[in-house]
Amino acid sequence: MTTRTLQFKIYRYDPDQDQKPYMQDIEIEVDATDRKLLDVMVKLKAKDDSIAFRRSCREGVCGSDALNINGRNGLACLTDINSFPEGKPIMLRPLPGLPVIRDLIVDMTQFFKQYHSIKPYLINNDPPPERERLQSPEDREELNGLYECILCACCSTSCPSFWWNPDKFVGPAGLLAAYRFIADTRDQATNERLDNLEDPYRLFRCHTIMNCVDVCPKGLNPTKAIGKIKDMMVKRAI
Amino acid sequence: MVNRKIVGAHYGLKDWLAQRITGVMMAIYAVLMAVALVSGAGSSHESWKEFMSCGLVRFASFLFIVSLCWHAWVGVRDIWMDYIQPAGIKLVMHVLTLSALIGYAGWATQIIWRL
Amino acid sequence: MSVNVTVRKFDAVIVGAGGAGLRAAIQLSEAGLKTAVLTKVFPTRSHTVAAQGGVAASLGNSEEDHWHWHMYDTVKGSDWLGDQDAIEFMCRKANECVIELEHYGMPFDRTDNGRIYQRPFGGHMSNFGEKPVRRSCAAADRTGHAMLHAMYQRNIKVNTQFFIEWMALDLIRDAEGEVLGVIAMEMETGEIHAFHSKATILATGGSGRIYYSSTNAFINTGDGVGMAARAGIPLEDMEFWQFHPTGVAGAGVLITEGVRGEGGILRNAQGERFMERYAPNAKDLASRDVVSRAMVTEINEGRGCGPNKDYVLLDITHLPPETIMKRLPGIHEIAVQFAGVDALKDPIPVVPTCHYQMGGIPTNFKGQVVVPGRRTMNEEVPGLYAAGECACASVHGANRLGTNSLLDLLVFGKSAGETAVDELKKSPKPHKELPAGAFDKTLARLDRLNTQKNGTSVHETRLTMQRTMQKHAGVFRFNDLMKEGVQKILEVQKDVQQTEIKDKSKVFNTARIEALELDNLIEVAVATMVSAEARKESRGAHVRDDAPDTPEHPNGRDDTNWLKHSLWFKEGNRLEYKSVTLRPLTVDTIALKTRAY
């Protein structure tokens, strides 16, 4: 089997041992069975068990292994190792803009706090009917491109507005979720949801930079959803 | 006072909308100016002065200046909101920006009216 | 390592925040009980998220359906090893649980009249096995994702208290056998805490990572199963592992049965639709064990595809592209990502891949863990409940029907939660005193790991275990290979007791976590190997060479001697057996019959 060597530069920081973060140089042999970056990272961990990163489903649906790969946010399990430029070490860093717990593991508390702040659950105060609430296929289609979010945080941590105000700006992932419920015909809290976002920080920090759209591993478009929220606010105001 | 992150100022939409509207106004004004230049209004100082003194153009110029300052106010304030975290300094920068922009607007209007 | 164990008190502790754990948590939080949900990963990272095809419920939105028909299919799918009381309970509760989910906000696909969309699935038939019926309620091919998120969202609404990135290590059980909570590690700090509770619900999911080739996530390491085994609770029917027919060849990533439900066809190297020979009636939608065995037979007889003739093809190129992009968008994505194939134009290479653990911690249909006792074979363990893939109710018996896993976690997650609430409300009592030395064994295990010198590598040992299981307890099983497998896996077990980690940090030490996970995996692997070797018949997913299809024993099934559940005990590595509950709750027994599709 043909093998080749990949060079890595990996961000390392263990607050228990290290004074400050550093970049570790490490290389590894890969063969034809290694397709994705995560496969190779598992091999790297077999070589040096102290490299810490999160991973779970390895098929791009759980959102655990979001990293900054060669300067760009993405999921390790969906990143093809053949996509790396030859002869240059592959740079692996934790997601930018969130505190590092250790190595490639970031503290996502702030990210989830913002997600929770938009009340990410269906609000419908009518007594639940005996059967399902009806929804036409067309109305259901409105949720496509919204409900598929895996909360990996690639988008929010690539957003400069989120870097500056992670505590006040909801961020693309949270706003996408907010619109998911606004767009749901079964939800009755549209007004409250719009009220909750009408704020110079929470929604209007979005300056349509569109990094979120660029990096989303699921091909979703938070900017478009944010635009739709703004449209609804305008409609409501005039 | 407890140190708590507070949001919910409820003025985001108005400013965002104002920035879009003033942007459109400025674009229209720019087109107007371009047309005027192409059609020879700027061929001599006299013709340019005559064009700029016309009531309608004065009105448009005034709108443009107000739009520009308003637009700049939201934009610059957004920058302070991003990069300056302490509330006191932020307020000072807001006041300074606002003072400068109001000053500029008055000054510019004066220049046009003097025409 | 000097260890301080902080003791925290809760009414109830749930271990695991996948489908079953989240469903149970809703029940407990709504009842206002002080509940802690411990989870190794953020809830929406749990493996329920990867379920694709749907959840079974006889809603009858597209054509007539009935829970009794669903029950028949489930019993038949289980090759009559499922307990019929639990199966009736599950099938009757299905509609209620699915509707509840819809009310929580789950974005199901819809029919033209606005009802939940249902698609055909393997083994789903109407009128007691007559013809295929649309029973699988789906949200595109992301049903698990939509479901898990909807349940997490509901938990936010009811204010459930989560302990995220906490790994449970062991159950606390006193001399009378009562379970008094769990010992857990906060992954970020390495601190050890005891969660002292009156009810403990295990919802830790499956252990598919005991196999080399698995559709399961890295986190599916059978933690609850291992904890139960160490606490002296037997494991039921561990020989039965479902190999999903369509894992992407080489990558192991799951391709839902829904693909065949929507009209996909399996083909061999000659382009033949070979399932017509193995299951003339249900064809590609036969039960999973049947399809997997047919595929392996095709490959073994030289009709596999590719340079090494080691896979078959799943063909959907004849389906309208709109259908694929609307109903199976995730599959299209997976095929591109992991098979390098555009499924609209080319077939997808697939092989049977380890997918689901039918066995687990023995429970009754109320979610209570039951063990052999002085009076009966099913005596409740006070304070302990289990639900979802880690539990064995047993509704799946020897082979699970597609979409019954999501149903299982809904119904039994809810039922375990309800039972716990009832028990706690029925007899309000203070926390029972923790026994002396309750943490000793766990702390000794951690200490051993921290101080081990010249030990074995976690990575290598795990790999050896996975390869052993793959070879010795795969789709087809052979007497001599299984005998050898038992010896080999016991060797691996010794290595597991000597694992050494280089990383000694306290902060988010993933090396330590993987070593602790291996402690759980090996319990499952040994239980599987030993139970499989001992079961001298073929049934459902367990098919051995020395129990072939004969007129006397059709499909190699031997009801006279083997219509019984295996119970594996860690202590003494021994087996006991208990009878299958053939009597349902209200209807007549579904009588034993030869299983054919």
Side-chain angles (χ1 to χ4, degrees):
Chain A
M1 207 181 274
T2 53
T3 62
R4 63 191 174 111
T5 308
L6 287 184
Q7 259 109 31
F8 284 88
K9 273 186 186 297
I10 303 179
Y11 178 100
R12 300 298 307 271
Y13 177 58
D14 175 3
D16 204 22
Q17 330 256 342
D18 305 324
Q19 292 292 318
K20 59 177 195 220
Y22 63 97
M23 296 300 284
Q24 176 191 20
D25 291 291
I26 186 165
E27 55 179 45
I28 193 91
E29 294 263 294
V30 295
D31 56 47
T33 60
D34 300 308
R35 294 177 197 187
K36 301 292 179 186
L37 173 60
L38 185 62
D39 301 335
V40 182
M41 289 173 70
V42 169
K43 275 195 168 174
L44 281 169
K45 190 163 175 62
K47 192 171 168 179
D48 176 353
D49 72 3
S50 71
I51 303 173
F53 54 90
R54 293 189 178 105
R55 83 280 179 272
S56 178
C57 76
R58 61 87 173 79
E59 56 186 71
V61 294
C62 78
S64 299
D65 60 349
L67 302 174
N68 186 270
I69 306 154
N70 281 339
R72 201 186 139 86
N73 289 355
L75 299 181
C77 61
L78 294 185
T79 302
D80 207 310
I81 54 169
N82 294 317
S83 69
F84 297 129
E86 295 264 336
K88 275 194 196 155
I90 300 147
M91 308 285 270
L92 301 184
R93 293 195 185 86
L95 289 177
L98 292 175
V100 173
I101 296 175
R102 179 181 170 175
D103 298 347
L104 301 172
I105 297 174
V106 291
D107 180 352
M108 297 183 72
T109 312
Q110 196 63 257
F111 172 78
F112 289 122
K113 224 180 208 168
Q114 292 298 359
Y115 174 68
H116 291 168
S117 79
I118 60 102
K119 301 198 174 162
Y121 43 80
L122 194 84
I123 299 177
N124 183 320
N125 295 321
D126 289 342
E130 268 177 46
R131 290 291 305 252
E132 64 264 53
R133 293 195 170 99
L134 299 181
Q135 185 174 48
S136 71
E138 296 72 40
D139 286 342
R140 165 60 183 78
E141 213 149 284
E142 288 292 316
L143 307 182
N144 287 349
L146 303 171
Y147 82 96
E148 299 94 326
C149 172
I150 57 173
L151 298 175
C152 65
C154 280
C155 58
S156 292
T157 59
S158 70
C159 173
S161 292
F162 191 76
W163 295 339
W164 310 141
N165 289 294
D167 50 347
K168 292 177 173 174
F169 175 48
V170 172
L175 291 169
L176 185 86
Y179 187 63
R180 178 247 172 276
F181 289 98
I182 292 173
D184 197 322
T185 49
R186 299 168 295 173
D187 190 88
Q188 297 175 328
T190 303
N191 255 322
E192 291 87 319
R193 292 183 192 282
L194 293 180
D195 283 346
N196 177 279
L197 293 173
E198 191 175 346
D199 173 272
Y201 282 102
R202 284 178 59 71
L203 173 73
F204 290 97
R205 278 305 80 188
C206 170
H207 302 312
T208 51
I209 300 165
M210 296 183 76
N211 279 2
C212 53
V213 183
D214 192 40
V215 298
C216 177
K218 304 308 281 182
L220 308 178
N221 191 333
T223 310
K224 197 168 150 196
I226 294 169
K228 286 184 174 168
I229 299 177
K230 288 174 179 168
D231 285 353
M232 290 192 90
M233 283 188 180
V234 173
K235 243 189 233 163
R236 184 171 78 149
I238 56 175
Chain B
M1 196 176 83
V2 284
N3 187 15
R4 188 174 283 165
K5 297 290 173 191
I6 317 161
V7 284
H10 287 287
Y11 65 82
L13 176 68
K14 212 169 61 205
D15 289 345
W16 178 79
L17 202 56
Q19 211 180 22
R20 261 88 210 135
I21 294 167
T22 52
V24 171
M25 305 267 263
M26 288 191 288
I28 294 170
Y29 185 78
V31 170
L32 192 80
M33 284 294 119
V35 170
L37 281 173
V38 169
S39 60
S43 58
S44 68
H45 183 249
E46 270 64 45
S47 62
W48 183 245
K49 194 171 171 182
E50 193 187 332
F51 170 72
M52 290 299 283
S53 332
C54 154
L56 217 64
V57 177
R58 276 190 182 197
F59 180 72
S61 299
F62 176 68
L63 271 186
F64 170 76
I65 290 159
V66 173
S67 296
L68 178 68
C69 292
W70 197 341
H71 193 87
W73 157 242
V74 180
V76 175
R77 191 203 58 197
D78 276 358
I79 296 174
W80 303 142
M81 284 167 93
D82 277 347
Y83 296 101
I84 298 177
Q85 297 298 335
I89 304 178
K90 200 150 44 180
L91 182 64
V92 170
M93 294 312 287
H94 284 191
V95 171
L96 287 179
T97 309
L98 214 49
S99 316
L101 287 171
I102 292 170
Y104 294 152
W107 192 8
T109 315
Q110 202 190 3
I111 292 170
I112 298 172
W113 249 246
R114 216 164 45 197
L115 280 167
Chain C
M1 187 163 76
S2 68
V3 189
N4 252 328
V5 180
T6 315
V7 180
R8 294 160 174 254
K9 280 192 182 174
F10 287 89
D11 290 327
V13 172
I14 299 174
V15 186
L22 289 179
R23 189 63 194 81
I26 294 172
Q27 225 54 37
L28 291 158
S29 293
E30 281 180 346
L33 293 167
K34 193 179 172 205
T35 310
V37 181
L38 270 57
T39 170
K40 258 195 322 189
V41 294
F42 184 77
T44 65
R45 321 257 188 252
S46 310
H47 200 53
T48 304
V49 80
Q52 298 171 355
V55 49
S58 53
L59 296 171
N61 284 352
S62 296
E63 60 223 341
E64 197 192 352
D65 201 0
H66 196 279
W67 65 263
H68 203 180
W69 302 345
H70 181 193
M71 177 184 171
Y72 174 85
D73 294 341
T74 306
V75 173
K76 179 181 170 186
S78 81
D79 219 347
W80 276 267
L81 193 72
D83 287 330
Q84 296 196 15
D85 55 345
I87 295 176
E88 179 183 337
F89 182 80
M90 178 178 82
C91 296
R92 292 183 77 137
K93 283 267 184 189
N95 291 9
E96 169 194 322
C97 285
V98 169
I99 296 293
E100 249 165 18
L101 263 187
E102 195 281 331
H103 293 164
Y104 293 165
M106 176 158 167
F108 281 109
D109 282 1
R110 299 290 170 153
T111 60
D112 287 338
N113 59 6
R115 299 206 172 275
I116 294 171
Y117 168 78
Q118 296 184 284
R119 64 159 57 110
F121 235 76
H124 293 188
M125 310 288 240
S126 67
N127 205 13
F128 307 101
E130 210 175 82
K131 58 175 201 298
V133 66
R134 282 170 277 183
R135 185 180 291 147
S136 165
C137 310
D141 52 2
R142 305 188 180 96
T143 313
H145 172 276
M147 180 186 278
L148 189 67
H149 280 252
M151 284 205 275
Y152 175 62
Q153 290 161 352
R154 180 70 180 188
N155 271 290
I156 299 172
K157 192 175 183 187
V158 297
N159 247 328
T160 301
Q161 188 177 0
F162 287 102
F163 289 78
I164 293 168
E165 291 177 336
W166 284 68
M167 184 183 177
L169 302 175
D170 276 303
L171 289 171
I172 305 170
R173 211 175 167 198
D174 68 8
E176 284 119 62
E178 182 162 352
V179 171
L180 304 174
V182 297
I183 305 161
M185 181 173 73
E186 184 181 29
M187 287 155 67
E188 189 179 328
T189 59
E191 280 173 24
I192 306 296
H193 292 230
F195 288 76
H196 188 186
S197 71
K198 299 176 199 167
T200 303
I201 302 181
L202 294 175
T204 55
S207 338
R209 283 275 155 182
I210 61 166
Y211 283 92
Y212 182 67
S213 168
S214 168
T215 65
N216 282 202
F218 282 105
I219 55 167
N220 289 19
T221 54
D223 299 339
V225 184
M227 284 161 67
R230 280 192 296 275
I233 287 154
L235 304 181
E236 181 174 343
D237 292 341
M238 290 304 292
E239 62 271 43
F240 297 101
W241 282 86
Q242 179 162 82
F243 285 77
H244 195 289
T246 54
V248 174
V253 175
L254 173 70
I255 301 272
T256 173
E257 192 166 303
V259 169
R260 282 170 284 139
E262 297 288 348
I265 288 170
L266 290 164
R267 297 186 191 282
N268 62 18
Q270 290 137 18
E272 183 206 3
R273 184 182 188 181
F274 59 85
M275 278 314 297
E276 285 178 333
R277 278 188 277 120
Y278 296 89
N281 193 15
K283 300 193 179 81
D284 297 274
L285 283 178
S287 212
R288 286 181 179 168
D289 57 331
V290 175
V291 181
S292 285
R293 273 196 299 278
M295 289 167 70
V296 173
T297 307
E298 290 297 303
I299 292 168
N300 287 349
E301 291 176 0
R303 291 187 293 278
C305 308
N308 302 321
K309 297 180 171 231
D310 56 357
Y311 57 80
V312 299
L313 294 170
L314 176 60
D315 187 3
I316 51 171
T317 54
H318 55 285
L319 300 181
E322 311 84 73
T323 307
I324 298 176
M325 295 317 284
K326 187 174 178 198
R327 299 292 182 208
L328 307 164
I331 292 308
H332 183 255
E333 206 178 306
I334 286 175
V336 171
Q337 280 283 353
F338 294 97
V341 162
D342 179 358
L344 299 177
K345 298 192 190 97
D346 295 299
I348 311 165
V350 290
V351 287
T353 308
C354 171
H355 183 56
Y356 191 85
Q357 161 194 318
M358 262 83 70
I361 305 160
T363 69
N364 57 24
F365 65 84
K366 294 179 192 159
Q368 294 163 305
V369 173
V370 290
V371 295
R374 283 206 196 95
R375 281 158 289 122
T376 73
M377 288 299 280
N378 290 305
E379 286 183 15
E380 292 134 22
V381 177
L384 187 63
Y385 307 79
E389 191 173 341
C390 74
C392 180
S394 131
V395 283
H396 309 306
N399 171 67
R400 172 175 72 78
L401 280 196
T403 71
N404 265 354
S405 60
L406 290 186
L407 182 60
D408 170 349
L409 58 82
L410 285 180
V411 170
F412 295 107
K414 182 178 180 182
S415 135
E418 273 176 346
T419 313
V421 170
D422 287 350
E423 292 286 322
L424 289 175
K425 297 230 153 141
K426 200 166 66 191
S427 52
K429 49 175 187 186
H431 283 77
K432 213 172 159 185
E433 195 84 9
L434 288 180
F439 318 135
D440 292 357
K441 275 189 183 164
T442 313
L443 296 180
R445 194 152 62 93
L446 287 169
D447 191 52
R448 197 283 300 159
L449 185 60
N450 275 327
T451 52
Q452 180 74 44
K453 296 256 166 24
N454 304 317
T456 53
S457 135
V458 173
H459 181 79
E460 294 301 326
T461 312
R462 187 174 50 209
L463 213 56
T464 314
M465 172 195 71
Q466 291 171 332
R467 294 222 162 98
T468 306
M469 294 310 291
Q470 197 78 26
K471 183 175 172 195
H472 296 269
V475 175
F476 282 110
R477 295 167 176 185
F478 302 90
N479 183 32
D480 47 347
L481 271 181
M482 280 191 287
K483 283 206 155 63
E484 199 186 324
V486 171
Q487 293 316 309
K488 277 193 180 170
I489 207 73
L490 293 174
E491 288 297 313
V492 177
Q493 191 176 33
K494 283 181 200 150
D495 285 349
V496 173
Q497 284 154 5
Q498 314 229 326
T499 48
E500 180 184 351
I501 51 171
K502 301 275 185 292
D503 183 3
K504 310 284 187 197
S505 170
K506 285 195 187 69
V507 180
F508 225 115
N509 188 329
T510 45
R512 180 177 296 137
I513 292 159
E514 286 187 25
L516 293 168
E517 286 174 338
L518 186 58
D519 286 352
N520 296 322
L521 281 169
I522 195 66
E523 306 293 355
V524 178
V526 173
T528 300
M529 207 64 243
V530 171
S531 310
E533 194 276 326
R535 184 174 283 270
K536 308 287 184 203
E537 63 156 356
S538 297
R539 185 187 294 270
H542 175 70
V543 169
R544 49 192 298 155
D545 63 332
D546 53 358
D549 184 15
T550 58
E552 199 188 350
H553 295 300
N555 297 332
R557 197 174 89 194
D558 176 4
D559 290 327
T560 324
N561 296 306
W562 289 101
L563 184 59
K564 56 189 181 186
H565 297 295
S566 320
L567 291 174
W568 174 84
F569 292 78
K570 175 177 164 58
E571 204 189 335
N573 191 17
R574 67 187 169 89
L575 286 165
E576 275 184 34
Y577 292 92
K578 70 173 183 183
S579 57
V580 176
T581 309
L582 291 172
R583 182 197 288 260
L585 298 169
T586 63
V587 289
D588 288 339
T589 296
I590 290 171
L592 288 160
K593 204 168 125 184
T594 301
R595 188 160 160 262
Y597 284 95

